[in-house]
Amino acid sequence: MEALDLGILAAAAFATSILSAVVGMAGGITLLAVMLLFLEPLVAIPLHGAIQMVSNGSRAVIQRRHLDLPILLHYSALLIPMGWVGLHLANALPAPATRIIIGIFVLIATWFPGWLMLGTHPEEINPRRRFLVLGGMAGVLNMTIGAIGPLIAPFFLNLGLDRRALVGTKAACQTLGHGVKILLFGVAGFAFGSHLVLLVTAGACVVAGTWIGSQILERVSERFFRHLY
């Protein structure tokens, strides 16, 4: 990868991790959109997963005192089996089709996020069933779309979580999802080591961005955070 391309991706990783640390979402999907300008989907998605595991993981560590562990347990139950299904779907889709699907998802998530719920109201579903279903959906979509923060965001509403607990718990859930993605792509033979410079550079940038964004989160009010979310 050329130095200019690496610099652009590093800057995008830094900026989008600040966004995610403050709002709890949107950074991952923005970073994936940028990565797809430089990489094929079946390369961008696993690399994005590795970078986002660091980003979400660092966010979860910072907010570790506020994590809701029952949510994590229910979310993780179906990640691996449904992720395996998603891996086969990702391999079956032609690269142009994957780009189009991700592009449509980004546009809908940006301009018509309510459409992603297909008329449902996840905030009204029992939390245990809510996150069990969500983990199964995430297992498939993490492998095919790659960045699903805006899709899963409404599932964290109406739980009585404050801004730190919401951001931290959602980040921990996504860390698990990206971890499964890395595991399954690795089993399928993806060579993460061939992209070590990008992974190390972007990883350092997302940790720095997460720290800055978390400092900003400490200074915003609960009301303002809800408006941003």
Side-chain angles (χ1 to χ4, degrees), residues 68-88:
D68 190 308
L69 294 181
I71 287 178
L72 292 176
L73 290 174
H74 290 118
Y75 184 87
S76 63
L78 297 176
L79 278 175
I80 291 179
M82 297 309 291
W84 187 252
V85 173
L87 177 63
H88 287 284

Side-chain angles (χ1 to χ4, degrees), residues 17-212:
S17 64
I18 294 176
L19 175 62
S20 286
V22 176
V23 185
M25 62 176 155
I29 198 170
T30 306
L31 177 60
L32 180 60
V34 175
M35 291 180 71
L36 286 169
L37 298 175
F38 302 92
L39 302 165
E40 288 298 313
L42 282 179
V43 176
I45 289 176
L47 292 181
H48 174 267
I51 295 167
Q52 285 301 104
M53 189 176 74
V54 175
S55 179
N56 284 283
S58 60
R59 199 153 67 246
V61 169
I62 289 173
Q63 305 296 351
R64 61 190 178 277
R65 291 178 297 171
H66 307 283
L67 300 184
D68 190 308
L69 294 181
I71 287 178
L72 292 176
L73 290 174
H74 290 118
Y75 184 87
S76 63
L78 297 176
L79 278 175
I80 291 179
M82 297 309 291
W84 187 252
V85 173
L87 177 63
H88 287 284
L89 287 175
N91 285 325
L93 287 171
T98 302
R99 287 180 183 274
I100 291 170
I101 291 171
I102 295 173
I104 291 172
F105 181 81
V106 170
L107 291 173
I108 292 175
T110 303
W111 298 108
F112 306 101
W115 288 10
L116 297 178
M117 294 299 102
L118 301 176
T120 63
H121 298 278
E123 72 279 4
E124 298 175 1
I125 303 172
N126 175 275
R128 180 175 178 177
R129 186 157 52 93
R130 185 192 311 186
F131 286 99
L132 189 65
V133 172
L134 181 62
M137 291 169 48
V140 175
L141 297 177
N142 264 332
M143 307 299 292
T144 51
I145 294 176
I148 58 171
L151 174 64
I152 72 174
F155 287 78
F156 290 82
L157 296 174
N158 196 30
L159 295 172
L161 301 176
D162 68 14
R163 65 189 186 281
R164 300 176 189 87
L166 194 156
V167 168
T169 303
K170 182 172 176 291
C173 287
Q174 292 188 271
T175 300
L176 292 174
H178 289 304
V180 168
K181 182 194 303 183
I182 292 169
L183 172 66
L184 293 178
F185 270 109
V187 169
F190 184 81
F192 286 95
S194 300
H195 307 275
L196 196 58
V197 173
L198 171 60
L199 292 176
V200 171
T201 303
C205 289
V206 297
V207 170
T210 296
W211 185 84
I212 293 172

